[in-house]
Amino acid sequence: MAVIAVLGVATLAAAGYLINAYRTSPDAEAVAGTASATPESATLPAPAPSGSVLPSASLPVSPSASAPSPSPSASKKPETPRRSGGHPNAGNTGVPSGVTLATYKGPCTISKSGTVIDGKIVGCDALEIRATDVKISNSRINGRLVTTEKSNYSYTLTDSEVNAGVYQGAAVGSTNMTILRSDIQGGQTAVVCSYNCTIRDSWLHGQELPAGSDWHLGGFLANDTGADGTTKVVLDHNTIVCDSPSNSAGGGCSGNVNLFPDFGPVSNITVTDNLLGANEDISYCVYGGSTSDKEHVSGVRDIVFTGNVIQRGKNSKCGQYGPVTSFDPAKPGNRWANNKWDDGKLVESAN
């Protein structure tokens, strides 16, 4: 059977496959007790090339292989609402130029509320947040950044980089988190949200698919609800792409934005002004929340996609089968408006 055919069948069930990997209890996570020493010259691995993204389109290029050079006189850029340079890319996300990075020597499990990590290279396999109001800025995390689902733990990640490498789970997740102007790559999916997540001006890309694995990958995934019965997601002005190529074992990308009502009726999700990248090996670029065979599909509502740009790619469809599936405009509060191809033509919703 052709690889595309395998992915086409498997993707409809991909949500359950993906989520089961992400719903590991905190105690089952292998979390180091202290950060491992990481030289300041350490670099992020480049994301795996797919060869499927339209070369002439405006998707960002991979970041430079060189980390910022420490300088005693370097000062941090003042924080602004949005860096210049169009949609997020290597030049306007991640650690700003001129920032001096020092090795992080604190714990890999943050249990003190109000903790601030600024200007650090973090070498934890997983930097786990078990506290509230944690702030991470101007830093490079060579590993994962996670919280515990169904908790009140919270953090903000600003002007930073996360690279999870090869990991069957999320690079960043999953509850009460705000991500601003950050470069997120690696893992099975870049960002997973269980409840209450805001992501702005960030670049989600570079997922990792080991040879011979049948993992299903994604850019952003929401699949649950919080105690108030909503998912509560804002995706605003990001570049989101699942750019890994598929393989002969049936592994590959499901979508860029994956909304699946697996563990709750996903709702209150706003997706505005994002660039959604093309990949011929992806199934659809958007799964809109109303996949018919999901347990909680009847309660899906208040999902809004407006003003997004969807890249056509080489086959002019963004993904293998098209730009969007499982978005139901008849659901209460759902709206699909002014979403366009990168050539300016309107993209219609689909269910």
Side-chain angles (χ1 to χ4, degrees):
M1 183 181 293
V3 173
I4 290 172
V6 172
L7 281 175
V9 174
T11 299
L12 293 180
Y17 181 91
L18 280 165
I19 303 311
N20 289 338
Y22 300 149
R23 297 179 69 88
T24 307
S25 66
D27 294 334
E29 294 271 3
V31 181
T34 58
S36 58
T38 307
E40 298 216 6
S41 60
T43 59
L44 293 172
S50 70
S52 302
V53 177
L54 184 63
S56 61
S58 57
L59 275 181
V61 296
S62 298
S64 168
S66 300
S69 299
S71 169
S73 61
S75 60
K76 299 183 176 106
K77 290 183 177 180
E79 189 164 298
T80 57
R82 179 174 291 179
R83 290 197 220 164
S84 61
H87 276 97
N89 55 56
N92 56 22
T93 63
V95 180
S97 61
V99 171
T100 301
L101 296 179
T103 300
Y104 174 71
K105 298 180 180 179
C108 290
T109 298
I110 306 299
S111 56
K112 181 180 179 181
S113 294
T115 293
V116 174
I117 298 173
D118 183 71
K120 303 297 184 184
I121 295 177
V122 181
C124 302
D125 288 340
L127 183 63
E128 184 162 356
I129 308 303
R130 296 191 184 183
T132 59
D133 197 30
V134 174
K135 291 181 172 58
I136 304 164
S137 59
N138 304 296
S139 293
R140 178 176 294 116
I141 300 173
N142 295 321
R144 297 173 284 122
L145 176 61
V146 297
T147 57
T148 304
E149 294 180 21
K150 310 297 185 184
S151 73
N152 67 341
Y153 302 150
S154 62
Y155 68 87
T156 299
L157 179 74
T158 306
D159 295 312
S160 294
E161 301 163 17
V162 178
N163 190 326
V166 179
Y167 176 72
Q168 192 175 7
V172 173
S174 62
T175 302
N176 299 323
M177 62 186 184
T178 299
I179 300 171
L180 305 173
R181 300 184 299 276
S182 292
D183 177 348
I184 314 295
Q185 60 181 299
Q188 187 176 2
T189 197
V191 177
V192 168
C193 179
S194 295
Y195 173 69
N196 190 26
C197 307
T198 296
I199 306 173
R200 285 193 167 98
D201 307 316
S202 294
W203 184 20
L204 283 57
H205 66 114
Q207 301 78 15
E208 296 278 1
L209 178 64
S213 74
D214 62 354
W215 298 1
H216 295 279
L217 314 180
F220 172 84
L221 174 64
N223 66 318
D224 206 347
T225 57
D228 65 358
T230 69
T231 311
K232 200 175 178 182
V233 172
V234 173
L235 297 177
D236 177 55
H237 194 255
N238 304 288
T239 296
I240 306 174
V241 58
C242 188
D243 49 14
S244 176
S246 59
N247 63 25
S248 59
C253 291
S254 296
N256 294 328
V257 175
N258 296 322
L259 308 181
F260 293 124
D262 284 291
F263 303 104
V266 290
S267 63
N268 291 78
I269 298 174
T270 303
V271 184
T272 56
D273 192 24
N274 299 280
L275 173 62
L276 305 179
N279 180 358
E280 286 184 309
D281 286 356
I282 212 170
S283 293
Y284 290 92
C285 285
V286 172
Y287 279 82
S290 292
T291 305
S292 60
D293 61 348
K294 298 300 178 184
E295 180 178 354
H296 298 280
V297 68
S298 63
V300 171
R301 59 176 299 149
D302 298 310
I303 297 177
V304 177
F305 281 78
T306 58
N308 299 287
V309 176
I310 300 178
Q311 190 184 39
R312 282 192 179 275
K314 292 180 180 179
N315 68 359
S316 296
K317 297 189 294 185
C318 189
Q320 174 63 31
Y321 303 109
V324 57
T325 186
S326 304
F327 181 87
D328 187 351
K331 291 284 189 182
N334 277 17
R335 186 159 68 97
W336 180 279
N338 201 35
N339 300 294
K340 297 181 179 181
W341 292 109
D342 53 1
D343 60 14
K345 295 183 179 179
L346 286 173
V347 177
E348 299 298 325
S349 65
N351 187 45

